[in-house]
Amino acid sequence: MKNRTIFAIAFILLGLFVILAPSVLFPICESEKKMACFYTKQAEIGLGVFISALGVVYFFLKNKNIRLGIAIAEFFISGLVLAYPLKLTGLCKMSDMACRVKTLPALIVVSILLILVSLVDIFFLAKSEQSE
Amino acid sequence: MKPRRRNNLFKDIRRHAFYNACLLATIILLSIMLLAGTIVSTSLRTGMGNMQKRLGADIMLVPKGSKEKAENMLLEGSRSAFYFDASVYEQVSGIEGISEVTSQCFLKSLAADCCSSEVQIVFFDPVSDFVVAPWIETEYKTGLSGDSVIVGSDIASEDGTIKLFGQEYPVVSKMARTGTALDSSVYFSTDAKEELLKNAEEKGSFLTEDQKKSGILSSIFINVKGDHLVDGVIEAAHKSIGDIFDVVYPKKLHESLAGSLLKITGVINIVSISLGAFLVAILLIINSIIMRSRKQEVALLRVLGHTKKRLIGKLITEMGVISLCGAVLGCGLGALIVIPFGRLIGNSLNMPYLGPSAGNTLFQILFIILGVFLIVFLSSIFFIIHATNIEPYLALRREE
């Protein structure tokens, strides 16, 4: 399997995980009142769609420079995946709430994986650019 | 290592890509399992140690019928509310044989401004207290008065204050982490009870009839003098205040929980040992296959003038690189699963769970990398020596 296909699939799957983590797999706190974690969920769903969409575009592109750009974008988006629950919109303050016990760890794991995948992709693409 | 030799090393690893990938996958699995098992066991033991410290009284008197609630509160930190008449405390204090006695009053699950969920509010007497004090991380110099609080480790306080029912209270100290729901409690001095209840009622919080009474308390913690029997003190309490209380033995509760912990860590150890043995067996099989397939290569290298020592060094270096990569990757993946999800693991096991510090985790990771390295070395050294010991002529002839 080509590197392009592998990384495209990885980006699409990680994007899907960002969508599903706060909504289905590790859902945020159930409450009628809209708490901070509700807005974090909305933001993460948006980011997840964006990550997957970039993965789809990545799959169809043959130009290595554009793919390098997409990999760099994915790297910075992974920072946003973490920044939303930790700083920008935040989570519930109590540490025993579902959003802190389940959702935050899941988002930490997925963002670290996205950082690693995008860094490896950047390394391979930059290396092949140099050798050409 | 010289660059040319390094390139050759990676080329050799890639030449046997399939077997080396199997070896790497096995090492990754082994490292994940070892790290996860170690961290979970350590965290459960630390949590249990902390709980033992928290259950610092010989006996705890609670209102009749509230024993189960009180035990759940001590073990799981679940939020509860049950009440005595405050006059009981004075009567119990006078009983002979008591070395320390203090009382606490709990307010169950009051929604507060500070937090997105409900908190347990605990009123205690700072003068007679011996239950809360061991958990206070830093000594509070200003003293706890009606308008200041001590908070559990999980309560977020902005600018050193927290807001409860519209009123701001300065936080004078923070409790050490216990690994249970008690970390999300707020501790007030008994003097603050009246005003806080008034504020809560004004802000629309629901208070029960019991909570609205002024002279109430939830539990009395007692330490018995060394030369007196616990049963004697309980009997004296029955005579003095009547049959209105149940007795909880915090230290006995700890023993029952320690039994559960032993069972859980026992299961973890059995699973780790059996899986570990299985993975080591797979390592042995893979190593034997790799070395069998490389006999011809080794023989050729010997014919070309490589010494036995140099060949053993080359093969061990290859194994070393693979095992180091596998162990680092495995520990990274294991840490990525176990550390962020620590609280979820503790909740699922229903046990106090206190994750290790960063330094301790790093030490465990280094220890496991070293251990995995040793396991791979021991499981391959026999096959490596065997492959290099075969006469080149015989090895090459067998491959014909």
Side-chain angles (χ1 to χ4, degrees):
Chain A
M1 213 187 290
K2 282 180 183 174
N3 272 2
R4 186 172 52 129
T5 319
I6 294 171
F7 284 109
I9 291 173
F11 287 140
I12 293 168
L13 288 180
L14 288 170
L16 284 177
F17 193 77
V18 173
I19 298 168
L20 296 176
S23 51
V24 181
L25 300 174
F26 302 96
I28 56 158
C29 324
E30 282 172 21
S31 167
E32 286 173 15
K33 199 173 140 193
K34 283 181 183 170
M35 294 182 290
C37 58
F38 171 81
Y39 298 103
T40 300
K41 182 182 102 176
Q42 302 291 87
E44 294 293 348
I45 290 173
L47 283 177
V49 171
F50 194 42
I51 293 165
S52 291
L54 282 177
V56 173
V57 173
Y58 184 99
F59 179 77
F60 289 106
L61 285 173
K62 285 195 175 156
N63 186 313
K64 281 186 181 167
N65 280 333
I66 303 178
R67 271 164 41 209
L68 182 65
I70 291 178
I72 293 170
E74 297 277 22
F75 174 77
F76 285 111
I77 296 168
S78 62
L80 269 182
V81 172
L82 263 188
Y84 271 105
L86 293 180
K87 206 77 193 165
L88 298 177
T89 46
L91 295 169
C92 299
K93 284 180 184 168
M94 297 290 289
S95 63
D96 57 350
M97 299 295 282
C99 60
R100 284 199 179 269
V101 176
K102 296 181 199 168
T103 320
L104 180 62
L107 290 173
I108 290 174
V109 171
V110 73
S111 67
I112 290 175
L113 289 177
L114 191 57
I115 287 172
L116 291 177
V117 170
S118 50
L119 275 180
V120 172
D121 192 23
I122 290 168
F123 171 76
F124 278 133
L125 287 169
K127 206 177 156 195
S128 71
E129 273 298 294
Q130 265 180 358
S131 59
E132 272 172 17
Chain B
M1 201 185 286
K2 285 177 186 169
R4 214 184 78 191
R5 201 175 281 179
R6 197 168 53 206
N7 279 344
N8 283 342
L9 176 79
F10 287 112
K11 266 183 198 163
D12 281 339
I13 292 174
R14 241 184 280 169
R15 200 171 295 139
H16 304 275
F18 177 71
Y19 289 125
N20 284 335
C22 291
L23 190 69
L24 189 74
T26 315
I27 295 168
I28 289 174
L29 278 179
L30 188 69
S31 315
I32 290 178
M33 194 199 70
L34 285 175
L35 187 80
T38 314
I39 289 185
V40 171
S41 300
T42 315
S43 305
L44 285 171
R45 270 199 294 271
T46 319
M48 182 57 70
N50 263 11
M51 170 160 278
Q52 190 178 16
K53 281 190 239 160
R54 194 178 74 215
L55 306 178
D58 289 332
I59 49 174
M60 177 184 173
L61 306 187
V62 294
K64 192 106 187 141
S66 313
K67 188 174 178 173
E68 202 177 324
K69 279 186 193 170
E71 285 181 348
N72 286 340
M73 199 188 70
L74 283 176
L75 292 179
E76 293 158 25
S78 59
R79 289 151 194 160
S80 289
F82 35 81
Y83 301 103
F84 271 136
D85 190 82
S87 61
V88 174
Y89 179 69
E90 298 303 323
Q91 288 168 282
V92 170
S93 311
I95 293 171
E96 207 193 315
I98 289 178
S99 63
E100 287 174 299
V101 59
T102 189
S103 66
Q104 285 185 2
C105 181
F106 313 123
L107 285 187
K108 184 189 173 185
S109 297
L110 289 174
D113 308 346
C114 72
C115 316
S116 317
S117 78
E118 297 166 326
V119 292
Q120 168 108 337
I121 293 174
V122 180
F123 297 99
F124 74 105
D125 177 14
V127 181
S128 62
D129 170 68
F130 62 93
V131 181
V132 177
W135 289 95
I136 296 172
E137 268 187 334
T138 47
E139 200 64 41
Y140 46 96
K141 289 170 191 148
T142 49
L144 194 68
S145 57
D147 57 359
S148 54
V149 294
I150 294 169
V151 292
S153 65
D154 288 345
I155 300 274
S157 60
E158 283 157 17
D159 313 325
T161 61
I162 66 160
K163 202 173 180 188
L164 287 161
F165 314 116
Q167 183 90 22
E168 286 212 346
Y169 296 92
V171 176
V172 290
S173 187
K174 203 162 190 167
M175 309 273 282
R177 232 173 97 69
T178 64
T180 70
L182 284 184
D183 295 335
S184 49
S185 302
V186 179
Y187 297 81
F188 276 89
S189 161
T190 321
D191 317 338
K193 196 159 62 187
E194 304 291 321
E195 198 194 329
L196 190 94
L197 287 176
K198 204 176 84 188
N199 288 341
E201 213 171 356
E202 277 172 13
K203 286 282 168 185
S205 287
F206 173 75
L207 295 180
T208 62
E209 283 307 312
D210 276 340
Q211 286 169 340
K212 283 175 190 168
K213 289 179 193 165
S214 57
I216 51 164
L217 56 91
S218 300
S219 61
I220 300 171
F221 294 88
I222 297 171
N223 267 341
V224 179
K225 279 180 187 165
D227 54 350
H228 282 73
L229 288 172
V230 172
D231 287 344
V233 171
I234 295 169
E235 211 179 305
H238 272 297
K239 278 181 192 161
S240 168
I241 56 173
D243 193 24
I244 58 161
F245 64 88
D246 276 335
V247 184
V248 177
Y249 299 87
K251 283 172 186 166
K252 279 190 187 164
L253 282 180
H254 170 258
E255 281 165 22
S256 78
L257 204 68
S260 312
L261 174 76
L262 268 182
K263 277 182 202 156
I264 292 172
T265 47
V267 170
I268 292 174
N269 288 342
I270 289 169
V271 171
S272 302
I273 290 169
S274 359
L275 258 174
F278 177 69
L279 290 172
V280 169
I282 292 178
L283 271 183
L284 285 169
I285 294 167
I286 295 172
N287 278 326
S288 90
I289 295 172
I290 290 177
M291 282 307 139
R292 204 171 294 166
S293 70
R294 296 186 70 174
K295 264 181 202 165
Q296 198 183 18
E297 178 194 338
V298 170
L300 269 174
L301 285 171
R302 285 206 58 201
V303 170
L304 289 172
H306 281 61
T307 60
K308 231 187 247 183
K309 204 176 154 189
R310 194 174 156 195
L311 274 173
I312 291 174
K314 175 183 139 61
L315 293 170
I316 287 178
T317 314
E318 276 179 41
M319 286 292 167
V321 169
I322 294 169
S323 60
L324 190 71
C325 292
V328 170
L329 266 173
C331 286
L333 284 172
L336 204 58
I337 297 164
V338 174
I339 296 172
F341 286 101
R343 193 177 274 268
L344 187 61
I345 294 170
N347 287 358
S348 317
L349 294 173
N350 213 2
M351 298 285 285
Y353 186 98
L354 218 56
S357 61
N360 202 346
T361 310
L362 203 68
F363 175 74
Q364 284 176 358
I365 289 175
L366 287 176
F367 187 72
I368 284 163
I369 289 175
L370 200 73
V372 168
F373 196 77
L374 203 69
I375 290 172
V376 176
F377 175 76
L378 290 176
S379 66
S380 62
I381 190 73
F382 167 76
F383 299 106
I384 289 175
I385 291 174
H386 179 71
T388 49
N389 268 344
I390 299 174
E391 278 300 314
Y393 167 71
L394 286 176
L396 288 169
R397 219 182 75 166
R398 274 180 203 170
E399 293 295 332
E400 278 172 8

